[in-house]
Amino acid sequence: MSYGCVEGFNLTGKQVRKAFYAIQKYMTEETRLGIPVLTVTESLHGSVHDGSTIFPQTVAVGSSFNLDLAYLMTKAIAVELRSQGVIQTLSPGLDVVRDLRWGRVEESFGEDPWLVGQMGIAQVRGYIDGGVSPMLKPFGPGGAPSGGLNLASVESGERDVRNIHIKPYEMAVHNTKVKAVMTSYNSWNGIPNSASSWLLTDLLRNEWGFKGYVYSDWGAVAMLKDFQRTAKDDGDAAMQALTAGLDLEASSNCFRALEELVKQGEFDVKYIDLAVERILRVKFELGLFENPYPGSDMPEAAMRTTETVELSRKVADESIVLLKNKNGLLPLNINTIKSLAVIGPNANQVQFGDYTWSRSNNDGITPLEGLKKRLENKVELNYAAGCDLVTNDTTGFDEAISAVRKSDIALIFVGSSSASLARDYSDATCGEGFDLSSLDLTGMQEELIRKIYDIGKPVIVILVTGKPFSIPWIKENIPAIVVQWYGGEKAGDAIADMLLGYTNPSAKLPFSFPQSVGHLPVFYNHLPTDKGFYRQPGSPNRPGRDYVFSSPDPLWAFGHGLSYTTFEYLNADLSARYLQPTDTLIIKVSLKNTGKRAGKEVVQLYVRDIVSSVVTPVKQLKAFAKPLIKPGETKEVVLKLPIQELALYDIRMKRVVENGEYELQIGSASDDIKLRKTITVGTQLARNDGNTQPAPPDIERILKDPGKKITVRGYVRDVQVTPVGGIEIKSNYSGLTVKSAADGSYSIRTVENDILTVSAEGFRTINIRVDKQKNLNIKLDYSHD
């Protein structure tokens, strides 16, 4: 039979090259039409075939905020793929993940659609320039599955789908020559994405102009009958998928039923013809009919060259995030340290991440190995695992505690572990199909950290992980915390050099860290209504509002990441203050390295639509740059903002750039804004500074005619008529200030024509004229700025 594509995921690079050549030779020389096959593989962070270079996982690439590295990485991967006989790779993944319980967090560039889209564009271009056809996956709303469970349904409105979930796909389709898209397993609002004509035809092809072919995720067509149950049998499933716009079925055989359905007159052959036309078109465009043997110009499979391994290391270096560094504990000074304890289940175990060919220490560098190589016996290393990642076994605690007691500082490597595609799925806590109901560290890892902390030695925690975890106790108590997303085969060397100061960390968080699973969702670009109304967070033993015993804030927000040097944001110059939707704004940011080390800083531009016809996020990332700046040097960083990127979907779901004011926020993280500017789009409106303070009272008028002395009493309440205590009420006549009692009551001695200024943190300040009223109740609005 003639198949559309073939794969061999569990073969070595050399084996798959030989197999693909033999299959292609048969297809082109021994079949009736001689149509070449699409040779397919996976390569999210390196070819999945044994012996290939193992690059850092997708989440690590997103953390680098380095588009050049993202491009170079996939261009290098493409060379290895071609040498293995591959023409089509099932990569990159463009899910915008909004539920951190989902195991596939590690396969995403982040929580922000702009970051994901820009990274996707860079990687698509890298693959194409390297001679391999990339495939965007998995297309459809998928990054917010119900309960965080893999393949679970997604329920959301079309506005969210367009603005968030499929925005990166739109960016990639419009800005690259990508020829293939894979459907996702999920259903969205009751419609399976693999059978959605709105997604696959109306949107992807008719609206975006995509000319390539659509490939099903593995077994997705059969799932229409076995899992989602919208189809009664194979034929029904095949008809649903094909008529929706899905062209090539992978890993199930429902399309085989179509031949008989056509013969019986129950299905129109035009849909089959259309799918065949799309697949053939791509095969012609890829040059398979002229040269059906990808990589035939290469004498052998080119894998793990010096250049690709060095590139993997560069990505690893720029993907390590320094979360906390109290009193400059890091980098470690080996001249003052005699011994280090290296502790934890990930201290002497490689963690490459899902969609790779190995989980063996033989194929990479562990943190312990990296430290040994770099220290060269200058510092004593005392190693103990302490515990594993999944069980409640604490029998290793004593050995770990003993190692710490005889050491100056403890390095504790904890985190997660992911499976190896088609090979080893044991004890995985992260990756496809390995979702978590809690985001606490698994097993006894946090208990191990607490026991070591109690010893009293300086402790540094390193999360080697594919996803964020909830670690509030660790944040509060541990002086230095590092995140190393799965860092590829040179991860151990990279983390050793970062800890010892040979590398200056420059990565930023592509995902916000939640305080607990109950704080989800925790993404930064939320709507202004979605992080509380009262802004009176509680804490243990001190009830408050909105959460009675907590704040809704993240532990660390998107974009956060420290350096061993410091940067000062001096100024931002705009090319214009008044713009039209067709314009592009140029922002020049003056940035100075005020520390003693050269370092890279990710300059981030966020935009807030001040007033919009529909509710829009509090801020949205729209540009970033990552310059290298020497100590004492000031550099001008140029950011470009096409005003079209400020478009929203209005109440009629029409995409428009609305006239009005937009606040530009420039900083080093989504919650660390250094500079603010305002631009106006369309009509030149009067500028609003966003100053919510009322006009000052006319003190001279009050003094000129104060009236009689009176006592004013009343109650202070919020907009829901709840009494509010602790509110300051100030007489502008005398300067006297009182505070409302717990029941909201207050009493103040003043004059008949006084103006009272009422203020408190979390509320809008207001001025109220007494106007001879002895009973004056006050209503306050919460401040949401």
Side-chain angles (χ1 to χ4, degrees), residues 139-142 183-188 191-196 199-200 228:
F139 181 56
T183 63
S184 73
Y185 289 119
N186 309 67
S187 63
W188 169 56
I191 307 297
N193 292 332
S194 293
S196 171
L199 274 174
L200 305 183
Q228 283 132 348

Side-chain angles (χ1 to χ4, degrees), residues 56-75:
Q57 177 62 293
T58 307
V59 63
V61 182
S63 187
S64 76
F65 278 75
N66 190 323
L67 298 179
D68 291 337
L69 280 181
Y71 167 84
L72 292 172
M73 172 177 153
T74 51
K75 187 176 182 182

Side-chain angles (χ1 to χ4, degrees), residues 3-34:
Y3 289 90
C5 62
V6 293
E7 56 74 25
F9 291 165
N10 57 353
L11 300 179
T12 68
K14 293 179 180 179
Q15 288 170 340
V16 78
R17 174 185 170 96
K18 182 178 179 180
F20 280 170
Y21 184 89
I23 292 169
Q24 199 72 289
K25 184 175 178 62
Y26 174 80
M27 293 297 298
T28 55
E29 298 181 10
E30 303 295 331
T31 61
R32 181 174 65 90
L33 295 175

Side-chain angles (χ1 to χ4, degrees), residues 370-433:
L371 288 164
K372 284 180 177 178
K373 286 166 58 180
R374 176 54 81 175
L375 291 172
E376 296 177 334
N377 297 319
K378 296 175 183 176
V379 174
E380 179 185 354
L381 296 179
N382 301 309
Y383 164 71
C387 67
D388 59 41
L389 291 169
V390 295
T391 73
N392 293 330
D393 183 3
T394 60
T395 55
F397 276 25
D398 288 344
E399 183 184 7
I401 290 170
S402 175
V404 173
R405 289 191 187 281
K406 59 185 179 183
S407 303
D408 296 327
I409 295 176
L411 305 175
I412 311 178
F413 292 84
V414 294
S416 62
S417 180
S418 297
S420 177
L421 184 66
R423 294 168 179 83
D424 181 3
Y425 291 83
S426 61
D427 294 335
T429 58
C430 192
E432 184 173 6

